Amino acid sequence: MSKGFSILIGGAAGEGTRMSGQLIGKLLNQYGWRIFIYEDYQSLITGGHNFSIIRASPERISASTKEIDYLIALNQDTFQRHRGRLKEGGVVIYNSDQIKNEKGIAIPALAITTQLGGKPIMKNSSLLGALAKTLGIEWLVVEDLLKREFREKAELNLKIAKAGFDQAVTNQKIEKLNQKPLPLITGNEAVALGALKAGLEVYISYPMTPASSILHFLATLNKNLKNFVVFQPENEIEVINAAIGAAYAGKRAMVGSSGGGFALMVEALSLAGQSESPIVIIESQRPGPATGLPTYTAQGDLLFVLSAGHGDFFRFVVAPGDAEEAFYLTNLAMNMAWKYQLPAIVLIDKEISEDTFNLDDSVLEKAEKRDGKFWDKKGEYKRYLDTNDGISPLAFPGEVGAVVKATSYEHDESGITAEEDEEQIKRMQEKRQRKVIGLNREIENLKSVNIFGDKNSEKAIIVFGSNKGIAMELGKELGLRVIQPLIFQPFPEEQMKKALSGVKKIFTIETNASAQLTQFLGCRGVKLESPILKYTGRPFFIEELREELKKKL
Amino acid sequence: MNKTNLDLPAKNTWCPGCGNFGILQAIKNAISILEQKGVKKENFVLTTGIGCHAKIVDYININTFYGLHGRALAAAVGIKIGNPNLKVMTCSGDGDSYNEGISHLVYAAKRNIDLTMMIHNNRNFALTTGQYSATSPKGFKGRSTPEGSLEVAFNPLELMLASGATFIARGYTAKIDHLADLIVQAVDHKGFSFIDILDPCVAWFNTYEEYNKRIYELKNNNLSSKETALKNIWEWDYNNGGKIPIGVFYKIEKPAFDEEVNSGVQKIDDLDLKIRDILKSKI
């Protein structure tokens, strides 16, 4: 227990298990435990089977274990599916209105709830109360949390939770750790806040799992903040063209979708390249091809994102590995998009989008809003002025004295179509490419490649995105060097070279079938052994990856 | 009227006699009139898609956004949401917005965003050398339909009425003053203003003679009536002969999307504090 423990809560869709999982996480958070919550659900609204695994550890984590210490079952299905995961001595807390079980803590959750006059969904509170008692958490802590969470509905939920609390017995009292609780946040929420910190003014999105909760979170925040616009248009093509339009009008715009929606945006991604429009695109991967597994995870869009769009143009592409990096790198993406006037893509996946992580709020200090280069209001304004660094000063419609002509065609400095003069065509292409030199220099001076685990080990694993957490944890345990590139375009070649120095055995761990990171690094001359891949829509779990790593090493 | 400030030195590559010259002139005239009415030149924005129509951005010295095929309006929507103070106009073609980008047309009308949509309707794909479009009459002999197209043209005005446009008009490029007046009314109208501009294509579908014979100026004193609008819209269905009315068919007042979506939005000074509060609520 002192090294950590896992709790699985499951039920049918619509029974509120996700919300319960969040509350359990927050409860343990109060005792100083570091939390990671994995969400598993299907593409349906009611019925089916949803579950969350809440893992608590004294140290920061972002990976799940297959084995669990506690199972909270709202229905028979959950009990049958997951009882095999329980460790020896593990405890089941179950809704005895629905489940016949011989061992464990029986809570007649629905009966309690109905008796106290609550709605069926409130039965979760009785199970939460029971869990708190089982873990030896003081009632006052539960009370304080539920008051904060339920506000005006707290009273009834508290009664129901107390009834569950009183019916359970303490199994093993968890320690109160001597560290302050950290905020619990999903990657999508972190993305939204990172963008806000960079001055987000317009968020445009068409719903698509697992990116939709960025839209929901921002729309909800904006009820109070009211400092930006949220717009849900008719399709992803309008989404990205509107974002480019908003950027042309001088507004910091961001869009979000998954691979399928991003695929629809790709023509206009190229427009952003040609018109030098600063926009930020969140691409949260889910397994394809096509509709694939809408509510599960994959890293199958890496190569797609890096080469998306017809013609030669440049994108800034970052791949955060947890909520904190999602916050910081989305913030960076917005600032870089505006500095270099190009599209920036934040590549995440369902595990980053929807899982819950602790976020150290000191990351706020690293985030900022940086302005782009603006027109000095002298002389004739030329939108595509050829400059040493390739960056043309910005002006926006409405600015007195400036005529702002942005275009999808090849053009002269003023933005007038230019198809004849080869010298000029070459010059403008080179102007756009010159921006990359500055960007490249800048990212080599940032932390663009993480190294974890045993930094001197000759055995190394390379991961990106949501495999960061599990690689860190197992790298430390098994004495491996763990390398995680954070920026993919431009690629931090120098930092990668340093990260790889002295390595003898090296391979990637990826959640895709075609080893896209291995392919990408192979093109850069990094020789890799065969990778460890998983492509079932689920992330790697600690036990299975540990086994695979041991076999390979 | 100082018209010269709207000219640009770029070489015009439209065919001699192209209907687009008339549209360009009408837009310039309309802008001059609107400037006299107090609209600042720097507040005009014109977006286009891709096609013969779109070359207009190189011939007019105002803010322009030369977008992708079918997406002239898609970008315009973002510009107007980004800055509702701008006078946003879109030039598009029948291929551009009745074929490729029709979803944006329907939705811009539905949400009644305050901008002016002008369709250079030459009733074929001209820049791609003469294929049939959404408003080509059935039997159109183009390079992709040498034996005549099989689809019946649709009536874009009817579509716009059904979609929720609050200003619906038809103009004719050979009647420049009439067209300029329509554009001024459209820009002045708060909401989605739609003008289908009959635009003969001298290269692939020369309709000057036919239009000159059949077009007449509509007199309509009942602009808010859908029934009257529909009756007038149905007078010509883009396929058959008969009279072709031009003018304003429909005009009503409704809240504009760009204004509503921006309502109450303003910069806040204590954003950092607010973000910290959000994080605190997540402990």
Side-chain angles (χ1 to χ4, degrees):
Chain A
M1 285 290 279
S2 63
K3 279 190 167 171
F5 56 95
S6 290
I7 301 165
L8 188 149
I9 179 166
E15 280 198 297
T17 56
R18 177 167 189 167
M19 169 79 174
S20 270
Q22 295 284 318
L23 287 175
I24 294 167
K26 282 190 172 177
L27 197 59
L28 302 171
N29 209 26
Q30 308 309 310
Y31 270 51
W33 290 83
R34 298 300 180 234
I35 308 296
F36 174 69
I37 308 175
Y38 164 71
E39 304 291 349
D40 192 307
Y41 68 102
Q42 299 153 340
S43 186
L44 43 77
I45 303 301
T46 51
H49 174 63
N50 289 2
F51 66 95
S52 307
I53 302 175
I54 303 96
R55 186 165 170 229
S57 163
E59 289 168 14
R60 297 278 292 277
I61 41 158
S62 49
S64 308
T65 54
K66 279 233 148 149
E67 287 193 325
I68 53 173
D69 299 271
Y70 294 88
L71 171 61
I72 306 175
L74 271 80
N75 59 14
Q76 189 72 35
D77 185 31
T78 303
F79 180 68
Q80 268 157 348
R81 282 172 188 255
H82 299 291
R83 65 177 160 188
R85 290 172 177 261
L86 275 169
K87 285 183 195 159
E88 221 179 289
V91 176
V92 186
I93 300 170
Y94 62 99
N95 176 9
S96 59
D97 295 326
Q98 280 198 27
I99 304 170
K100 303 275 168 283
N101 185 30
E102 287 162 23
K103 281 186 198 164
I105 298 168
I107 305 292
L110 190 61
I112 290 174
T113 305
T114 327
Q115 212 167 24
L116 292 168
K119 290 180 192 156
I121 190 114
M122 294 180 181
K123 66 181 183 250
N124 285 286
S125 291
S126 68
L127 295 167
L128 183 75
L131 174 74
K133 182 68 168 289
T134 311
L135 296 172
I137 293 172
E138 293 160 52
W139 172 249
L140 278 177
V141 178
V142 182
E143 190 176 343
D144 176 58
L145 177 69
L146 294 189
K147 274 185 182 162
R148 273 200 289 140
E149 291 294 318
F150 289 112
R151 293 164 197 265
E152 63 276 13
K153 287 181 201 148
E155 203 183 328
L156 188 50
N157 274 294
L158 275 169
K159 273 189 203 164
I160 297 167
K162 189 67 168 54
F165 189 87
D166 289 342
Q167 291 204 13
V169 286
T170 299
N171 174 56
Q172 194 173 6
K173 203 168 160 38
I174 61 162
E175 279 173 73
K176 221 175 200 170
L177 303 177
N178 189 25
Q179 48 190 4
K180 70 168 185 146
L182 295 176
L184 277 168
I185 186 169
T186 66
N188 276 354
E189 291 168 338
V191 157
L193 294 178
L196 275 176
K197 191 91 205 284
L200 178 74
E201 289 167 301
V202 188
Y203 185 68
I204 312 176
S205 184
Y206 185 88
M208 187 170 188
T209 304
S212 305
S213 56
I214 305 172
L215 175 64
H216 306 160
F217 181 63
L218 280 170
T220 307
L221 280 190
N222 209 28
K223 287 200 291 183
N224 295 320
L225 292 179
K226 273 280 169 210
N227 67 328
F228 60 100
V229 169
V230 177
F231 176 36
Q232 182 200 313
E234 62 272 21
N235 55 40
E236 288 87 347
I237 298 173
E238 173 67 69
V239 166
I240 185 162
N241 280 282
I244 292 169
Y248 170 76
K251 293 293 154 69
R252 294 200 163 198
M254 182 166 87
V255 307
S257 191
S258 188
F262 175 67
L264 289 170
M265 298 182 191
V266 165
E267 186 195 20
L269 181 70
S270 175
L271 167 64
Q274 175 74 313
S275 61
E276 303 195 44
S277 302
I279 54 163
V280 175
I281 300 162
I282 310 299
E283 212 271 53
S284 180
Q285 301 162 95
R286 67 191 215 189
T291 310
L293 300 162
T295 60
Y296 289 94
T297 202
Q299 298 182 310
D301 297 348
L302 175 66
L303 297 179
F304 171 43
V305 157
L306 292 174
S307 58
H310 55 293
D312 284 327
F313 69 98
F314 206 79
R315 317 138 201 84
F316 180 59
V317 180
V318 297
D322 55 29
E324 215 163 277
E325 286 176 359
F327 175 86
Y328 166 68
L329 289 175
T330 305
N331 183 268
L332 181 72
M334 183 68 86
N335 286 321
M336 290 299 201
W338 279 82
K339 180 167 181 185
Y340 293 97
Q341 300 174 30
L342 42 71
I345 303 172
V346 180
L347 182 67
I348 51 177
D349 64 52
K350 182 253 173 184
E351 295 318 319
I352 292 174
S353 280
E354 297 190 338
D355 288 346
T356 301
F357 306 76
N358 275 129
L359 175 133
D360 192 333
D361 44 16
S362 66
V363 73
L364 281 176
E365 317 296 339
K366 279 168 61 183
E368 59 190 339
K369 183 195 172 188
R370 279 191 278 153
D371 283 331
K373 194 202 276 185
F374 295 118
W375 182 46
D376 61 7
K377 305 188 187 210
K378 286 178 195 150
E380 187 194 347
Y381 179 70
K382 289 182 173 174
R383 173 65 191 90
Y384 300 110
L385 187 74
D386 192 6
T387 58
N388 286 338
D389 59 6
I391 302 170
S392 314
L394 288 165
F396 310 112
E399 173 106 49
V400 180
V403 173
V404 187
K405 295 183 99 68
T407 176
S408 66
Y409 264 87
E410 193 51 271
H411 45 264
D412 65 12
E413 287 182 294
S414 301
I416 302 292
T417 308
E419 296 179 281
E420 285 179 22
D421 185 345
E422 285 188 59
E423 261 315 302
Q424 177 157 271
I425 293 166
K426 187 164 167 257
R427 219 172 101 210
M428 293 313 276
Q429 183 66 36
E430 287 170 358
K431 172 195 115 61
R432 292 190 292 272
Q433 283 183 317
R434 212 153 50 239
K435 295 192 292 187
V436 183
I437 298 170
L439 183 55
N440 221 342
R441 202 180 308 128
E442 196 160 343
I443 64 127
E444 287 288 4
N445 289 324
L446 293 170
K447 190 165 196 185
S448 302
V449 177
N450 277 332
I451 310 174
F452 303 110
D454 179 350
K455 294 183 183 178
N456 299 313
S457 174
E458 292 180 347
K459 295 174 182 174
I461 50 178
I462 311 188
V463 294
F464 77 101
S466 61
N467 286 323
K468 173 194 177 184
I470 196 161
M472 268 177 84
E473 195 172 335
L474 289 172
K476 195 174 166 194
E477 182 186 316
L478 302 172
L480 300 171
R481 192 188 310 191
V482 178
I483 301 168
Q484 178 211 4
L486 293 166
I487 299 178
F488 276 86
Q489 200 172 115
F491 195 65
E493 309 277 357
E494 289 302 316
Q495 286 187 37
M496 195 63 184
K497 212 183 284 170
K498 274 185 205 151
L500 287 166
S501 83
V503 162
K504 297 232 164 74
K505 184 180 181 73
I506 182 160
F507 53 90
T508 67
I509 296 166
E510 308 182 45
T511 9
N512 61 53
S514 63
Q516 298 194 7
L517 181 58
T518 296
Q519 290 184 52
F520 173 82
L521 292 169
C523 292
R524 291 183 148 62
V526 184
K527 279 198 184 136
L528 298 153
E529 294 183 20
S530 63
I532 297 178
L533 305 175
K534 185 171 181 181
Y535 32 88
T536 61
R538 278 71 176 171
F540 285 103
F541 286 85
I542 293 282
E543 297 88 339
E544 61 178 356
L545 188 59
R546 183 189 285 128
E547 282 313 301
E548 292 227 36
L549 281 169
K550 281 181 176 168
K551 265 189 267 168
K552 271 190 83 83
L553 292 167
Chain B
M1 258 199 281
N2 176 15
K3 287 183 190 169
T4 51
N5 69 342
L6 293 174
D7 294 338
L8 279 174
K11 189 177 138 199
N12 194 309
T13 59
W14 284 326
C15 305
C18 174
N20 287 326
F21 286 102
I23 300 175
L24 173 62
Q25 194 54 54
I27 291 175
K28 284 181 174 175
N29 292 356
I31 287 175
S32 298
I33 294 165
L34 287 159
E35 275 191 88
Q36 283 173 347
K37 292 173 77 171
V39 181
K40 301 268 183 249
K41 189 190 165 213
E42 61 269 17
N43 283 339
F44 288 105
V45 178
L46 176 68
T47 78
T48 65
I50 296 296
C52 289
H53 76 271
K55 292 167 179 278
I56 198 166
V57 298
D58 288 344
Y59 312 142
I60 187 163
N61 191 25
I62 56 170
N63 299 310
T64 54
F65 186 90
Y66 201 155
L68 293 172
H69 182 58
R71 316 302 167 201
L73 195 49
V77 164
I79 294 168
K80 187 66 182 177
I81 288 172
N83 184 354
N85 297 323
L86 299 173
K87 292 286 180 191
V88 181
M89 302 178 288
T90 295
C91 282
S92 185
D94 45 322
D96 201 56
S97 277
Y98 298 156
N99 287 71
E100 184 82 25
I102 193 164
S103 59
H104 313 306
L105 181 65
V106 169
Y107 273 83
K110 174 180 181 282
R111 63 176 72 99
N112 194 39
I113 188 158
D114 178 21
L115 49 83
T116 296
M117 179 65 164
M118 296 171 275
I119 306 284
H120 300 215
N121 188 359
N122 59 15
R123 302 168 70 199
N124 78 102
F125 283 89
L127 195 57
T128 52
T129 67
Q131 298 85 3
Y132 81 106
S133 81
T135 45
S136 303
K138 185 175 179 180
F140 180 86
K141 287 188 176 162
R143 299 183 72 186
S144 61
T145 52
E147 294 185 88
S149 62
L150 300 175
E151 292 175 36
V152 173
F154 74 31
N155 187 331
L157 276 62
E158 193 179 347
L159 175 74
M160 285 294 89
L161 190 69
S163 302
T166 52
F167 180 99
I168 299 171
R170 183 189 286 138
Y172 178 34
T173 175
K175 288 184 179 282
I176 290 173
D177 289 343
H178 179 265
L179 180 56
D181 178 56
L182 287 182
I183 296 168
V184 170
Q185 287 187 58
V187 173
D188 275 342
H189 174 73
K190 197 183 201 180
F192 186 74
S193 307
F194 171 83
I195 311 173
D196 184 67
I197 305 169
L198 296 177
D199 179 22
C201 172
V202 290
W204 313 108
F205 195 34
N206 193 339
T207 46
Y208 274 119
E209 208 175 311
E210 184 193 340
Y211 287 160
N212 286 340
K213 266 189 255 163
R214 292 162 56 194
I215 280 172
Y216 75 99
E217 286 180 29
L218 183 69
K219 298 275 175 286
N220 182 358
N221 298 319
N222 193 12
L223 286 175
S224 63
S225 160
K226 251 189 180 168
E227 289 71 24
T228 309
L230 206 51
K231 192 179 87 174
N232 291 325
I233 285 170
W234 279 346
E235 189 173 354
W236 182 55
D237 68 359
Y238 290 73
N239 289 290
N240 304 325
K243 289 281 184 196
I244 303 174
I246 59 169
V248 181
F249 288 70
Y250 186 64
K251 185 180 185 316
I252 58 161
E253 302 298 325
K254 266 202 303 195
F257 181 82
D258 48 288
E259 206 170 83
E260 291 205 306
V261 83
N262 273 291
S263 158
V265 173
Q266 55 185 15
K267 284 211 159 62
I268 51 175
D269 321 319
D270 58 343
L271 180 66
D272 213 50
L273 206 68
K274 294 228 160 89
I275 292 176
R276 282 180 195 280
D277 281 346
I278 294 161
L279 289 176
K280 211 179 281 172
S281 75
K282 295 189 165 289
I283 287 176

